Amino acid sequence: PVEPVSDVTYHDPCYLGRHNRVFDAPRELLGEITEMPRNRERSFCCGAGGARMWMEEKIGKRINIERTEEALATGAKTIAVGCPFCYTMIGDGVTAKGEQENVQVVDVASVLLRSLKQEV
């Protein structure tokens, strides 16, 4: 990448990752990242693919909070995602954890766009 994102972890989205087997391209764009324990084909869903975005959880912890906690545990200041559902779910998780001032959620598409604008 032209301008690498620093202190980043990447959440593999279900459709891009597990369903379509695209794991390396987003990582190449982001540069050096800190992996979460569950990554690539073993990634943990953000919850939106299972329609959890529109459900009120009655038991336990919301799935997006679980995944956000895993991302925050890496110490990364940026959580990169590759899906609009993941962007919303992880962003909501960061806000719910009170970390919105400390941690940024970005879509890899915006990182790509930023790098292309710099080349022009």
Side-chain angles (χ1 to χ4, degrees):
V2 175
E3 180 186 328
V5 178
S6 60
D7 293 331
V8 66
T9 192
Y10 176 65
H11 165 74
D12 289 283
C14 296
Y15 294 111
L16 187 63
R18 290 196 317 248
H19 296 294
N20 291 300
R21 316 293 300 159
V22 176
F23 301 113
D24 293 330
R27 286 170 171 80
E28 290 170 9
L29 177 66
L30 295 168
E32 188 175 328
I33 65 171
T34 302
E35 293 283 4
M36 287 184 261
R38 293 190 268 190
N39 62 69
R40 297 182 179 264
E41 59 275 337
R42 292 181 49 245
S43 185
F44 188 66
C45 180
C46 73
R52 295 278 188 217
M53 182 181 296
W54 296 281
M55 296 175 78
E56 293 296 327
E57 303 291 340
K58 304 284 189 221
I59 300 172
K61 188 185 312 182
R62 288 186 58 88
I63 194 168
N64 67 314
I65 300 297
E66 177 79 22
R67 187 57 169 164
T68 300
E69 287 174 349
E70 290 181 5
L72 294 173
T74 68
K77 297 299 179 199
T78 302
I79 303 170
V81 298
C83 162
F85 285 136
C86 296
Y87 183 82
T88 299
M89 295 297 280
I90 301 297
D92 287 352
V94 168
T95 300
K97 298 302 290 181
E99 292 292 331
Q100 64 272 24
E101 298 296 321
N102 304 316
V103 177
Q104 175 185 21
V105 180
V106 299
D107 192 298
V108 292
S110 65
V111 175
L112 176 60
L113 179 62
R114 198 175 347 153
S115 70
L116 292 173
K117 283 182 177 180
Q118 289 179 358
E119 290 180 11
V120 175

